[in-house]
Amino acid sequence: MIKPTLLALALAAVLPHAAAQSSVQFYGAIDAGLRYQTNVDEAGNSLLSMGSGNYYSNRLGFRALEDLGGGLSARVLLESGFVSKTGALDNTKNVLFNRTAAVGLGGKWGYVDLGRQYTIGFRTELFLDPFNHHYTGLVPLSSGAGTTLPAAAVAAGLSASSSSGTRFNNDIQYSGTFGGLTVRAEYAPREVEGDARKGTARAAGFSYTGGTLLAAGAYTRKQTPAGFENEAHIVGGGAKLQNVTVKAGLSRERQDGAAGVAYRNMTAFGGVSYLINPFVEITGALYRSRYAAGNNSGTRTLSLLGASYTLSTRTNLYAEIDVNSYRGALLPASKQTRQHGVSAGVMHRF
């Protein structure tokens, strides 16, 4: 009779996956607070409301990692967004895993992930943003929040974020980190029959952290389903000196349209973050967006000052003051040229 120990060893040799190590993590974040804003309509009225994800977007997710042996591993990320004040999904299409739904394989050479993912343009803006994509409902970098583009530009496919999109479906994305350098490349087919280019996106980018210096850049080229070209460039850098971090960047996007019309959106930004002590951090930043299409143009300028107080590794209190100025084609639906806002709340991660 074969001893149980010898049988187990034989099976492990024949079936390497039997010895694989795996882990599954359920995680999330919930953020709720109050927001007050002036000039929300043409009459100049103000509004006090409960905010959802003011500081950090609400989410629920599953993260899985499996060691396949031989330096190879598999990973899965499923993430859904929700509205804290109602409990509803935070998207109108009722997509369950609207934030991320991806699976990938990787090793020392990097990872290749497939599915719905954040774009390289988004990841590059995140790296350069002085607020690290906090206050995404206010800052124009991640989703173009607060910037109302003309209807013709939106219909043509221009993004208010200047990065050519926050997420791509059908995305095949490579990422590899080598010392302080991270490189990325992606290809996202639209799956249009008879035309492999229509709606397809391609991008490449990098980010670098070495000593006190920071730098990043990305280039995205895609086609709309109608076959019009779209290009986006992002570049920036900064420095980290003890408790002070300085960042600045520039995003540009161009969308071709019918009859030779070109729609352009640009966002220049910069700011400083200061860690007063291990618990209190203050950040100030300026974001300036500029839109142009022929003789039609407009600007939006956002000044944002925020503070965060860390209660624990999972919970923090936050507060911010913001001022928006609008001109020309970027006037919001309220037709107001200036708005002031204040937000405060609590965020918890688990």
Side-chain angles (χ1 to χ4, degrees):
M1 179 179 292
I2 299 177
K3 293 183 178 180
T5 302
L6 295 177
L7 179 60
L9 291 173
L11 289 174
V14 176
L15 303 172
H17 63 272
Q21 298 295 316
S22 62
S23 64
V24 179
Q25 177 190 9
F26 172 68
Y27 68 93
I30 183 168
D31 176 328
L34 293 176
R35 174 156 176 79
Y36 174 80
Q37 190 173 24
T38 66
N39 291 331
V40 297
D41 57 21
E42 292 189 46
N45 291 314
S46 300
L47 176 67
L48 177 64
S49 61
M50 174 170 282
S52 175
N54 283 335
Y55 179 78
Y56 190 71
S57 300
N58 299 318
R59 65 197 68 192
L60 292 173
F62 298 91
R63 183 183 291 112
L65 181 65
E66 182 180 22
D67 182 356
L68 301 174
L72 186 67
S73 61
R75 66 182 182 184
V76 173
L77 184 61
L78 298 170
E79 191 172 279
S80 176
F82 66 94
V83 180
S84 55
K85 62 182 179 180
T86 64
L89 294 175
D90 67 353
N91 66 95
T92 58
K93 296 182 179 180
N94 290 321
V95 178
L96 180 57
F97 296 113
N98 64 310
R99 298 183 62 84
T100 303
V103 59
L105 293 174
K108 292 182 179 180
W109 45 268
Y111 264 90
V112 175
D113 297 288
L114 301 90
R116 176 172 171 80
Q117 303 179 69
Y118 288 105
T119 65
I120 290 176
F122 171 93
R123 297 179 191 277
T124 304
E125 283 187 331
L126 168 62
F127 182 85
L128 295 171
D129 183 10
F131 273 97
N132 297 313
H133 276 7
H134 292 139
Y135 302 112
T136 55
L138 303 175
V139 174
L141 294 184
S142 61
S143 62
T147 301
T148 305
L149 292 175
V154 175
L158 188 68
S159 167
S161 68
S162 306
S163 65
S164 197
T166 299
R167 299 174 182 86
F168 287 151
N169 292 329
N170 312 317
D171 197 16
I172 304 166
Q173 190 170 139
Y174 166 78
S175 61
T177 300
F178 310 96
L181 177 67
T182 296
V183 293
R184 303 181 189 275
E186 69 185 335
Y187 172 72
R190 179 74 177 191
E191 302 178 345
V192 175
E193 292 183 4
D195 194 326
R197 293 190 62 194
K198 276 189 176 180
T200 295
R202 301 170 178 84
F206 79 96
S207 60
Y208 174 76
T209 304
T212 61
L213 298 179
L214 309 170
Y219 171 74
T220 303
R221 186 179 182 90
K222 68 179 185 181
Q223 277 195 0
T224 65
F228 293 107
E229 295 290 336
N230 176 291
E231 286 188 320
H233 308 78
I234 305 166
V235 66
K240 186 172 183 179
L241 305 170
Q242 295 183 343
N243 295 339
V244 177
T245 302
V246 180
K247 293 182 179 181
L250 176 67
S251 296
R252 291 179 179 269
E253 183 179 355
R254 172 194 167 106
Q255 174 65 62
D256 291 339
V261 177
Y263 302 92
R264 295 179 175 86
N265 192 36
M266 178 196 77
T267 304
F269 56 94
V272 180
S273 181
Y274 177 49
L275 189 64
I276 297 176
N277 57 48
F279 309 102
V280 180
E281 183 175 36
I282 296 178
T283 304
L286 182 71
Y287 305 84
R288 182 172 176 81
S289 301
R290 179 174 177 80
Y291 163 82
N295 295 325
N296 191 24
S297 64
T299 61
R300 175 207 175 190
T301 303
L302 167 65
S303 302
L304 182 61
L305 178 65
S308 173
Y309 180 78
T310 300
L311 296 173
S312 71
T313 55
R314 296 183 176 184
T315 306
N316 73 290
L317 301 175
Y318 63 85
E320 64 80 27
I321 301 173
D322 58 272
V323 178
N324 274 294
S325 298
Y326 303 94
R327 297 290 184 273
L330 292 189
L331 282 176
S334 66
K335 305 302 180 184
Q336 300 287 346
T337 60
R338 197 169 181 85
Q339 291 178 321
H340 297 79
V342 178
S343 304
V346 58
M347 188 275 293
H348 176 78
R349 299 189 191 192
F350 53 90

